[in-house]
Amino acid sequence: MSRIVVLGAGISGHVAATHLRRKLSKEHTVTVVSPNSNYQWVPSNIWVGIGRMEPKDIIFPLEPLYKKKGIEFKQAKVVTFHPEGDTEIDKPFVKAEYVAGEAKGTTEKVTYDYLINATGPKLAFEMTEGLKPATNKAYSVCTYSHATEAWHALDQLIQQMKQGKKAKILIGTGHAKSTCQGAAFEYILNVEQELNRHGVRDMAELTWIANEPQLGDFGMDGMLLSYGSNIMKSSELVEMVFEDRGIKWIIGAGVNKIEDGIAHYETLDGEFHTESYDFAMLIPAFSGHGFKAYDKNDQDITEKLFKGFMIVDADYTPRPYEEWSVQDWPETYQNPSYANIFAPGIAFAPPHAISKPRVSKNGTPISPAPPRTGMPSGITAKLVADNIIDTIKKKKPSLHHKGSMGNMGAACIASSGYGITKGSGISITTFPIVPDFNKYPDTYGRKLGKTFGEIGLAGHWLKLALHHAFLYKAKMRPFWWLIPE
Amino acid sequence: MTRRISKRKRFVMMNPIIQFFKFIYLSLKILVVVAGGHGGTREVK
Ligand SMILES: Cc1cc2nc3c(=O)[nH]c(=O)nc-3n(C[C@H](O)[C@H](O)[C@H](O)COP(=O)(O)OP(=O)(O)OC[C@H]3O[C@@H](n4cnc5c(N)ncnc54)[C@H](O)[C@@H]3O)c2cc1C
């Protein structure tokens, strides 16, 4: 009998837990430890942030589902890792602190045979002075509660604009090393459409601010894509859309301080500027959770498990950008020191960025951290689950399932407006996610036919269809496993 | 110079009938990217 413990119930943790439960017999236990009682379909937070969906449309409680399916659930947050056990317990465990119910505040040593760390990122607002959701007129859409706050503030501003107020809206990244530009990109386009819908578009100045060296970098060094019969850079595609929507942009900008309605930032050319706003949505830096790890004798072994995020089978040797290789990226997400620990999704430490690192004239690093979107998060979680399942069933270590982001495609449907007849979406696919310059030397490391962009109403329908399909899958409704990650 | 979205293109982008077929085309195309699978990048020695 094996005990598999999954930390986190986001996209990757939930995918791993559900597949494990489906494929393993009941003699094996699957336990999920996560502080949030709800599952949330994060990509639809954008629509909560413009008031077109409510949190209830994108979340559901985990405990009843897990109970029904035979997955143990502990509403707790992991605090420390003990991969060798300790002097009392001769089994690896994590220490988890309950965050709700009668046990709130108490800790438990949760033992495991296999551990999947799917705790995603810490939303590190504190890395930017003054950046805190719903403070200083700056908001976030990273969680459904943040997105709800953002909508309330935006709604108030729209009402004021209806009374004649001119407003400045700033949307983008709130730190020089932020990632997840795609989410901010979706949000600015959705906000623009909503301002139109409310008849106040001409009252608002809408500005994009990002740490990207070029528009459309998305933390992936941009891409060359086919767009209809044209071949276009993603920077040209985004510029075309921004021009069309009357959105201004500031790029190569590292936001370093937020005051009430003022964003301070440094640009790559070393200049310091400020931008005032009435409403801002800024994506914070993502960091590791700062977990500590201890060996059997309580000695600190954090550096064996973490490098900010969790260490996996990547090549972390520091190298200049020119020497980066697609082979540096992990394939099995297994920790090299402890073979029974894995970290899929955002929880693993990437070997390096994907975008070329850049520093300002003052030496400040200003460039996007590597994104890991929903699709790779799901795929990596499933392959980790499959390797654990094989190992248990075959009774010998198996790492047969592999999925490097250098040999994996991603589909990203960026919503650019909500509405069955008025909505639109920018559908972009990329293959591979991490460019492989050896395989595709003439097309910026990506396969052209599989890297394409499309804009239009169909993109909105697709995004909406994915919303329903993935929630159906997450709820483990009949034949849920037929829907790919 | 910035490319512009032409009037014709905008019509195509927002026409529900054309976009219905686009929806089917995109769904299949995305499925191909997904179904294309994934794997490692390192050679097995
Ligand atoms: C606004 C927004 C829009 C997005 N849109 C898209 C999109 O359109 N398409 C796309 O592909 N991707 C999108 N993404 C990215 C996508 O949401 C992420 O790639 C995905 O959520 C990552 O999944 P994850 O499970 O690794 O991490 P998360 O989803 O962050 O899950 C982490 C889990 O760990 C739990 N946790 C945290 N700390 C602890 C702890 N100490 N102990 C135990 N559990 C813990 C959390 O509660 C959570 O359940 C978007 C992201 C955002 C923020």
Side-chain angles (χ1 to χ4, degrees):
Chain A
M1 189 201 106
S2 296
R3 182 168 197 196
I4 305 114
V5 172
V6 181
L7 307 176
I11 292 180
S12 50
H14 189 65
V15 162
T18 53
H19 281 288
L20 284 161
R21 188 63 292 164
R22 186 174 91 82
K23 293 183 185 165
L24 284 177
S25 63
K26 290 278 152 68
E27 63 175 317
H28 306 288
T29 60
V30 179
T31 304
V32 172
V33 178
S34 189
N36 195 332
S37 61
N38 292 314
Y39 177 84
Q40 61 170 325
W41 178 241
V42 180
S44 296
N45 280 342
I46 300 300
W47 291 332
V48 174
I50 53 159
R52 301 301 293 266
M53 276 193 179
E54 289 185 38
K56 69 172 174 44
D57 301 322
I58 70 163
I59 64 173
F60 64 85
L62 285 165
E63 193 154 17
L65 175 75
Y66 284 169
K67 205 171 176 183
K68 192 168 141 199
K69 299 289 177 183
I71 297 170
E72 191 188 10
F73 180 56
K74 293 178 189 290
Q75 197 183 343
K77 59 175 194 214
V78 63
V79 279
T80 49
F81 289 66
H82 304 261
E84 301 169 4
D86 62 7
T87 44
E88 289 165 14
I89 299 182
D90 198 25
K91 262 200 123 191
F93 68 88
V94 288
K95 205 180 269 178
E97 183 187 320
Y98 284 89
V99 298
E102 279 173 16
K104 188 176 173 181
T106 60
T107 56
E108 182 189 339
K109 292 175 178 179
V110 184
T111 59
Y112 61 82
D113 296 301
Y114 300 92
L115 182 72
I116 300 179
N117 171 19
T119 48
K122 175 180 170 215
L123 302 173
F125 290 98
E126 73 285 356
M127 284 172 70
T128 307
E129 191 185 334
L131 184 67
K132 195 174 165 210
T135 308
N136 291 328
K137 301 193 186 82
Y139 296 83
S140 150
V141 289
C142 290
T143 68
Y144 56 86
S145 45
H146 292 169
T148 309
E149 291 168 344
W151 166 238
H152 288 321
L154 184 63
D155 188 29
Q156 274 178 13
L157 189 61
I158 289 173
Q159 301 316 320
Q160 290 168 9
M161 284 193 264
K162 284 182 177 166
Q163 305 300 317
K165 180 183 163 83
K166 294 247 179 205
K168 288 179 82 179
I169 296 177
L170 185 68
I171 294 173
T173 52
H175 187 269
K177 300 288 291 169
S178 290
T179 178
C180 218
Q181 288 75 14
F185 176 63
E186 289 188 277
Y187 194 59
I188 197 168
L189 296 177
N190 273 270
V191 167
E192 198 272 338
Q193 165 142 328
E194 288 307 298
L195 296 178
N196 263 313
R197 199 168 69 90
H198 288 277
V200 293
R201 176 65 186 95
D202 54 346
M203 305 301 283
E205 186 183 301
L206 210 51
T207 307
W208 170 254
I209 186 163
N211 54 354
E212 307 170 291
Q214 279 194 314
L215 287 176
D217 182 278
F218 295 130
M220 296 168 63
D221 240 354
M223 60 208 86
L224 193 67
L225 37 82
S226 38
Y227 172 66
S229 52
N230 298 321
I231 291 175
M232 221 183 201
K233 286 186 188 165
S234 51
S235 55
E236 294 172 306
L237 184 95
V238 173
E239 190 173 325
M240 180 176 81
V241 173
F242 279 1
E243 281 276 349
D244 189 59
R245 302 280 193 102
I247 296 170
K248 298 178 175 176
W249 61 87
I250 303 166
I251 48 174
V255 171
N256 49 36
K257 185 177 172 185
I258 297 293
E259 287 176 315
D260 189 22
I262 303 170
H264 295 257
Y265 65 95
E266 180 184 346
T267 50
L268 281 168
D269 54 16
E271 308 256 325
F272 293 90
H273 303 271
T274 57
E275 183 70 20
S276 61
Y277 59 82
D278 298 285
F279 171 91
M281 196 298 289
L282 298 168
I283 302 275
F286 287 2
S287 73
H289 291 275
F291 295 128
K292 290 266 178 206
Y294 299 93
D295 71 6
K296 199 159 180 47
N297 302 313
D298 238 10
Q299 295 298 306
D300 191 323
I301 51 158
T302 304
E303 82 289 346
K304 276 186 163 179
L305 258 73
F306 297 101
K307 211 177 171 14
F309 293 95
M310 185 166 252
I311 295 170
V312 293
D313 60 319
D315 184 346
Y316 294 105
T317 318
R319 268 188 281 244
Y321 173 76
E322 292 68 30
E323 291 172 28
W324 288 358
S325 137
V326 76
Q327 282 79 25
D328 300 340
W329 286 78
E331 298 182 335
T332 62
Y333 307 88
Q334 184 186 45
N335 178 263
S337 305
Y338 298 96
N340 58 348
I341 301 183
F342 299 83
I346 298 187
F348 78 85
H352 40 66
I354 302 174
S355 270
K356 183 174 180 172
R358 288 175 164 84
V359 287
S360 76
K361 285 198 175 139
N362 311 311
T364 313
I366 303 177
S367 53
R372 274 147 294 164
T373 57
M375 197 172 139
S377 298
I379 291 175
T380 53
K382 181 161 184 269
L383 74 89
V384 162
D386 281 334
N387 280 332
I388 293 175
I389 292 161
D390 286 355
T391 302
I392 292 172
K393 287 188 174 168
K394 292 177 188 160
K395 297 192 169 74
K396 62 175 190 195
S398 172
L399 290 173
H400 174 68
H401 300 272
K402 290 183 177 168
S404 160
M405 281 172 55
N407 188 2
M408 181 191 298
C412 187
I413 321 295
S415 166
S416 52
Y418 190 93
I420 291 297
T421 56
K422 296 268 189 321
S424 92
I426 305 179
S427 317
I428 297 178
T429 63
T430 311
F431 186 92
I433 301 166
V434 176
D436 187 336
F437 293 102
N438 287 334
K439 256 192 184 161
Y440 311 108
D442 303 325
T443 45
Y444 294 91
R446 305 241 166 65
K447 188 169 181 170
L448 211 49
K450 283 187 171 180
T451 304
F452 70 92
E454 274 288 341
I455 312 175
L457 184 56
H460 174 69
W461 294 341
L462 206 54
K463 180 102 183 168
L464 202 58
L466 292 178
H467 163 94
H468 291 294
F470 283 122
L471 276 170
Y472 181 95
K473 180 179 166 75
K475 288 177 182 170
M476 300 175 82
R477 295 264 162 84
F479 302 108
W480 61 269
W481 65 90
L482 293 176
I483 300 171
E485 269 49 61
Chain B
M1 208 188 74
T2 308
R3 295 186 199 218
R4 306 244 168 220
I5 299 176
S6 65
K7 269 193 174 165
R8 203 187 137 268
K9 191 90 199 161
R10 196 182 307 278
F11 171 77
V12 171
M13 273 160 56
M14 299 312 287
N15 180 294
I17 298 165
I18 301 172
Q19 289 296 310
F20 174 73
F21 291 104
K22 209 63 208 215
F23 174 76
I24 294 172
Y25 167 76
L26 278 176
S27 307
L28 293 174
K29 196 146 183 183
I30 286 171
L31 212 63
V32 169
V33 174
V34 180
H38 51 267
T41 55
R42 300 169 195 154
E43 260 151 342
V44 185
K45 292 190 183 108

